């Protein structure tokens, strides 16, 4: 992605919607996980040509939204911390989401739909397995405990899946409109 005024504007748009959605929905259990972060990672993997730069946008959007939440938490204006123990694993999983974008490259609508389902699903499976293995929450370290952990994570998974499916076309349209100056949704 060539750095230009339009690409900077697009990046600012992505960061803005990430921060706003996390502020609006993260503290509500029924809506927690409804953010564009997976869609951003998937899109970055599909569109950014420079492999080393593909990780920048999703990491920047997530990091800046976490900074805002941390500042608000410290000012007693938000329910939980922006930065917490074990969070680095979520950042690593975000990199994996970008790699899925590399793999599908937005070749057709079917691959984009598959990526939109795969990214939150892989995150759900790996992050909940991580919680089951290392959490202070008392999940028994057997199949029953793992299943209990996955069941507890289903509301977040539903929100992450829905958000990815909703935000990816919005991000694709914004890219086409802001950066490419096209007023239609096109495959990256």
């Amino acid at each position: 992605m060539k750095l230009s005024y339009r690409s900077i504007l697009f990046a600012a748009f992505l960061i803005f919607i990430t921060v706003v959605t996390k502020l609006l929905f993260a503290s509500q259990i029924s809506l927690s996980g409804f953010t564009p972060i997976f869609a951003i990672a998937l899109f970055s993997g599909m569109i950014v040509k420079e492999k080393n730069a593909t990780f920048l946008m999703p990491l920047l959007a997530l990091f800046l939204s976490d900074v805002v939440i941390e500042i608000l938490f410290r000012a007693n204006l938000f329910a939980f911390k922006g930065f917490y123990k074990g969070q680095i694993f979520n950042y690593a999983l975000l990199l994996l989401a970008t790699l899925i974008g590399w793999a599908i490259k937005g070749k057709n609508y079917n691959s984009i739909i598959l990526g939109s389902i795969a990214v939150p699903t892989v995150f759900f499976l790996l992050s909940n397995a991580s919680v089951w293995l290392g959490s202070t929450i008392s999940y028994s370290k057997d199949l029953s405990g793992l299943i209990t952990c996955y069941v507890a994570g289903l509301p977040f998974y539903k929100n992450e899946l829905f958000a990815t499916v909703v935000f990816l076309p919005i991000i694709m349209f914004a890219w086409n409109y802001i950066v490419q100056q096209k007023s239609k949704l096109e495959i990256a």
Side-chain angles (χ1 to χ4, degrees), residues 10 12 17-18 21 37 39 47 63 67 72 84 92 106 126 148 154 174 177 184:
F10 176 70
I17 63 171
T18 302
T21 56
I37 200 66
I47 196 71
F63 178 75
V67 166
L72 293 173
Y84 51 88
L126 295 176
T148 301
L154 284 174
Y177 187 77
K184 59 184 176 178

Coordinates of all heavy atoms in Angstrom, one line a residue, residues 10 12 17-18 21 37 39 47 63 67 72 84 92 106 126 148 154 174 177 184:
F10 N -7.7 6.6 4.9 CA -8.3 5.3 5.0 C -7.8 4.6 6.3 O -8.6 4.0 7.0 CB -7.9 4.4 3.8 CG -8.3 3.0 3.9 CD1 -9.7 2.6 3.8 CD2 -7.4 1.9 4.1 CE1 -10.1 1.3 3.9 CE2 -7.9 0.6 4.2 CZ -9.2 0.3 4.1
A12 N -6.8 6.1 9.0 CA -7.5 6.9 10.1 C -9.0 6.4 10.3 O -9.4 6.2 11.4 CB -7.5 8.4 9.8
I17 N -13.0 3.5 13.5 CA -14.1 2.6 13.7 C -13.7 1.5 14.7 O -14.6 1.0 15.4 CB -14.7 2.0 12.4 CG1 -13.6 1.2 11.6 CG2 -15.3 3.0 11.5 CD1 -14.2 0.4 10.4
T18 N -12.5 1.2 14.8 CA -12.0 0.2 15.8 C -12.2 0.8 17.2 O -12.7 0.1 18.1 CB -10.6 -0.2 15.5 OG1 -10.5 -0.8 14.2 CG2 -10.1 -1.3 16.6
T21 N -16.0 1.2 18.0 CA -16.8 0.0 18.3 C -16.3 -0.6 19.6 O -17.1 -1.2 20.3 CB -16.7 -1.0 17.1 OG1 -15.3 -1.3 16.9 CG2 -17.4 -0.5 15.9
I37 N -11.7 -5.5 13.9 CA -10.3 -5.8 13.9 C -10.0 -7.0 13.0 O -9.0 -7.0 12.3 CB -9.8 -5.9 15.3 CG1 -8.3 -5.8 15.3 CG2 -10.3 -7.2 16.0 CD1 -7.8 -4.4 14.9
A39 N -11.7 -8.1 10.4 CA -11.9 -7.7 9.0 C -10.7 -6.8 8.5 O -10.3 -7.0 7.4 CB -13.2 -6.9 8.9
I47 N -4.9 -7.2 0.6 CA -4.7 -6.0 -0.3 C -3.3 -5.5 -0.3 O -2.8 -5.0 -1.3 CB -5.7 -4.9 0.0 CG1 -5.7 -3.8 -1.1 CG2 -5.4 -4.2 1.3 CD1 -6.4 -4.3 -2.3
F63 N -3.8 -1.8 18.8 CA -3.0 -1.2 19.8 C -3.5 0.2 20.2 O -3.7 0.5 21.4 CB -1.5 -1.0 19.3 CG -0.6 -0.3 20.3 CD1 -0.2 -0.9 21.4 CD2 -0.3 1.0 20.1 CE1 0.6 -0.3 22.4 CE2 0.5 1.7 21.0 CZ 1.0 1.0 22.2
V67 N -4.9 1.4 23.8 CA -4.4 2.6 24.5 C -5.5 3.5 25.0 O -5.6 3.9 26.1 CB -3.4 3.4 23.6 CG1 -3.1 4.8 24.1 CG2 -2.1 2.6 23.4
L72 N -8.9 5.5 29.5 CA -10.2 5.6 30.1 C -10.4 4.8 31.3 O -11.0 5.2 32.3 CB -11.3 5.3 29.0 CG -11.4 6.2 27.9 CD1 -12.4 5.7 26.8 CD2 -11.8 7.6 28.3
Y84 N -3.7 -6.1 29.4 CA -3.8 -7.1 30.4 C -2.9 -8.3 30.2 O -2.4 -8.5 29.0 CB -5.3 -7.6 30.5 CG -5.8 -8.0 29.2 CD1 -5.7 -9.3 28.7 CD2 -6.5 -7.1 28.4 CE1 -6.2 -9.7 27.5 CE2 -7.1 -7.5 27.1 CZ -6.9 -8.8 26.7 OH -7.4 -9.2 25.5
A92 N -0.8 -11.9 18.6 CA -0.2 -13.0 17.7 C -1.3 -13.6 16.8 O -1.1 -13.9 15.6 CB 0.5 -14.0 18.5
G106 N -8.4 -12.4 -1.7 CA -9.5 -11.8 -2.2 C -9.8 -12.1 -3.7 O -10.2 -11.3 -4.5
L126 N -8.4 -21.1 19.0 CA -7.1 -21.0 19.6 C -7.2 -20.2 20.9 O -6.5 -20.5 21.9 CB -6.1 -20.4 18.6 CG -5.8 -21.3 17.4 CD1 -4.9 -20.6 16.5 CD2 -5.3 -22.6 17.9
T148 N -16.6 -26.8 28.1 CA -17.2 -25.8 28.9 C -16.6 -24.4 28.6 O -17.3 -23.4 28.5 CB -16.9 -26.1 30.4 OG1 -17.5 -27.3 30.7 CG2 -17.5 -25.0 31.3
L154 N -18.8 -18.8 23.3 CA -19.7 -18.7 22.1 C -20.3 -17.3 21.9 O -20.4 -16.9 20.7 CB -20.8 -19.8 22.2 CG -20.4 -21.2 21.8 CD1 -21.5 -22.2 22.1 CD2 -19.9 -21.3 20.4
A174 N -14.9 1.2 1.5 CA -14.1 2.4 1.9 C -12.8 2.4 1.2 O -12.4 3.5 0.8 CB -13.9 2.4 3.5
Y177 N -13.5 3.4 -2.3 CA -14.0 4.8 -2.4 C -12.9 5.8 -2.1 O -12.7 6.8 -2.8 CB -15.2 5.0 -1.5 CG -15.9 6.3 -1.7 CD1 -16.7 6.6 -2.8 CD2 -15.7 7.3 -0.8 CE1 -17.3 7.8 -3.0 CE2 -16.3 8.6 -0.9 CZ -17.1 8.8 -2.0 OH -17.6 10.0 -2.2
K184 N -17.9 1.7 -5.9 CA -18.5 0.4 -5.9 C -17.6 -0.6 -5.2 O -16.5 -0.3 -4.9 CB -18.7 -0.1 -7.4 CG -17.5 -0.3 -8.2 CD -17.8 -0.7 -9.6 CE -16.5 -0.7 -10.4 NZ -16.8 -1.1 -11.8

